[in-house]
Amino acid sequence: MTRRAVLICPGRGTYNKAELGYLAHHHAASSDALAALDAQRAADGRETLTALDGATRFDPKLHLRGDIAAPLIYACSALDARSLAADIDVVAITGNSMGWYTALAAGGALSLENGLRVAGTMGRLMQDAMIGGQLIYPCTDDDWAPDSARRTALLEMVREIDTREGTVLRLSIDLGGMLVLAGDAAGLEAFEQAVPRVQDRFPLRLPGHAAFHTDLQEPVAVAGRAALGDDMFRPPAIPLIDGRGAIWWPGTSDARALRAYTLGHQVTQSYDFARSIAVAAREFAPDLFIVAGPGTTLGGAVAQSLIACGWQGMADKPGFQAWQEAGPFMVSMGREDQRRIVTAPQD
């Protein structure tokens, strides 16, 4: 029996110490595909993904750099997408932030190698420019129940800080129960000073992250368009849901428009991941939501986004847990106990 699934590709921050060796552990059998990616890296004079993933220890100063993290995450996710079991019918694909580049490749809008080139180029350009930074802060309580008043107040605070002279602060990514904010040092510090510390860790600065998805990244977008040509992109073979919740349908999507969005709006404007998940649920009604690896952190954002849109009547964390226990209906490929549910036997 075919299982209809939405595939979700993670972004930056998902390849950490626990993920070192992910490619070797899960994709040693994908030798041809991984060799092709390594060959591209070597031809560009860059260390191979196999070598980076096979390091004897995780080095935050190396592995968290944008020009290193983005290609590693891309390779893990893209090869995960290729390892799904034969009975999985991927009906739509989306991603979070950098995960959009992986979604393009998984959906056929980029070749495997061109997907690496896009992810690697944009990661390098953002790393080299390193304009601004990001932090994350919850807009729900511990039970993940939507709190519109709290959310409105936080966003109004962001807008007020952004109007101050010499400060920049914007909504970068809407993760459903979490807000990722981006700005300059003054804007981030102003927010940190204005909000209470919660759960002993928020507001949390994201190391090695620039002010993604804001107009501060316009120079990066311009450089990306100069480096990545029109001929790399093609219409998708599987529906893609972007960071606005818009669907790019096979047969009707224009490759030039897809490139323009990817290297324009997607770089410089807020990314609404929660909306992309809501659209995936409502428009495609999948049996499964599959979160590609590496890492497991995006699963919480998917759950909170499903709660935010009231999917299957869930209203909070206990509601999600009850729904998940009846399935599971959300599978994180970064978890060994869940990965085998959706992968081919040889994986």
Side-chain angles (χ1 to χ4, degrees), residues 32-180:
D32 290 345
L34 186 54
L37 297 180
D38 278 345
Q40 179 177 302
R41 295 272 301 175
D44 290 342
R46 304 188 185 280
E47 192 168 4
T48 66
L49 298 168
T50 297
L52 291 165
D53 182 68
T56 56
R57 65 181 182 87
F58 183 83
D59 181 357
K61 292 182 179 179
L62 172 69
H63 288 93
L64 295 182
R65 286 176 54 92
D67 55 335
I68 300 298
L72 277 172
I73 293 166
Y74 168 81
C76 292
S77 301
L79 295 181
D80 270 3
R82 291 179 161 219
S83 69
L84 294 173
D87 69 322
I88 298 290
D89 177 18
V90 176
V91 295
I93 306 174
T94 190
N96 177 43
S97 190
M98 188 222 97
W100 173 247
Y101 307 141
T102 316
L104 289 170
L110 292 170
S111 67
L112 179 69
E113 293 84 355
N114 280 339
L116 177 64
R117 193 166 297 284
V118 171
T121 298
M122 298 307 291
R124 174 177 55 81
L125 291 172
M126 289 185 181
Q127 177 68 38
D128 290 348
M130 195 48 66
I131 304 168
Q134 280 182 321
L135 61 78
I136 189 167
Y137 195 77
C139 58
T140 67
D141 60 20
D142 292 346
D143 279 337
W144 298 351
D147 186 338
S148 59
R150 178 177 181 176
R151 177 187 176 85
T152 298
L154 287 170
L155 291 175
E156 181 55 39
M157 181 184 298
V158 170
R159 283 189 288 270
E160 189 278 322
I161 291 172
D162 191 52
T163 63
R164 299 178 190 175
E165 185 176 356
T167 63
V168 177
L169 188 66
R170 313 276 164 74
L171 174 64
S172 175
I173 308 173
D174 186 340
L175 289 175
M178 294 276 185
L179 301 177
V180 180

Side-chain angles (χ1 to χ4, degrees), residues 51-341:
L52 291 165
D53 182 68
T56 56
R57 65 181 182 87
F58 183 83
D59 181 357
K61 292 182 179 179
L62 172 69
H63 288 93
L64 295 182
R65 286 176 54 92
D67 55 335
I68 300 298
L72 277 172
I73 293 166
Y74 168 81
C76 292
S77 301
L79 295 181
D80 270 3
R82 291 179 161 219
S83 69
L84 294 173
D87 69 322
I88 298 290
D89 177 18
V90 176
V91 295
I93 306 174
T94 190
N96 177 43
S97 190
M98 188 222 97
W100 173 247
Y101 307 141
T102 316
L104 289 170
L110 292 170
S111 67
L112 179 69
E113 293 84 355
N114 280 339
L116 177 64
R117 193 166 297 284
V118 171
T121 298
M122 298 307 291
R124 174 177 55 81
L125 291 172
M126 289 185 181
Q127 177 68 38
D128 290 348
M130 195 48 66
I131 304 168
Q134 280 182 321
L135 61 78
I136 189 167
Y137 195 77
C139 58
T140 67
D141 60 20
D142 292 346
D143 279 337
W144 298 351
D147 186 338
S148 59
R150 178 177 181 176
R151 177 187 176 85
T152 298
L154 287 170
L155 291 175
E156 181 55 39
M157 181 184 298
V158 170
R159 283 189 288 270
E160 189 278 322
I161 291 172
D162 191 52
T163 63
R164 299 178 190 175
E165 185 176 356
T167 63
V168 177
L169 188 66
R170 313 276 164 74
L171 174 64
S172 175
I173 308 173
D174 186 340
L175 289 175
M178 294 276 185
L179 301 177
V180 180
L181 306 179
D184 61 8
L188 295 171
E189 290 170 7
F191 183 84
E192 289 168 334
Q193 294 170 7
V195 296
R197 185 169 176 82
V198 296
Q199 301 175 27
D200 292 328
R201 61 190 182 122
F202 298 109
L204 176 66
R205 288 282 186 113
L206 300 177
H209 287 220
F212 303 155
H213 310 300
T214 73
D215 57 3
L216 294 178
Q217 294 299 308
E218 185 58 39
V220 172
V222 171
R225 291 192 292 272
L228 301 166
D230 287 348
D231 58 343
M232 297 177 66
F233 290 76
R234 58 200 182 199
I238 299 171
L240 300 175
I241 307 168
D242 68 22
R244 304 165 298 180
I247 302 174
W248 297 82
W249 295 97
T252 62
S253 296
D254 179 77
R256 288 180 179 269
L258 186 56
R259 175 184 179 271
Y261 164 76
T262 299
L263 303 177
H265 187 288
Q266 190 273 146
V267 178
T268 64
Q269 302 299 314
S270 179
Y271 199 97
D272 197 340
F273 178 72
R275 180 168 175 77
S276 73
I277 295 299
V279 169
R282 292 168 175 163
E283 294 294 327
F284 296 93
D287 301 315
L288 293 170
F289 295 87
I290 300 175
V291 185
T296 60
T297 55
L298 190 59
V302 175
Q304 292 171 355
S305 297
L306 290 171
I307 291 168
C309 73
W311 179 245
Q312 299 286 306
M314 63 182 80
D316 51 24
K317 189 173 184 178
F320 167 78
Q321 291 171 331
W323 174 76
Q324 178 74 340
E325 288 169 6
F329 300 110
M330 187 185 76
V331 177
S332 291
M333 296 183 74
R335 287 182 51 168
E336 293 289 345
D337 62 327
Q338 293 186 358
R339 183 181 184 86
R340 64 178 66 99
I341 298 171

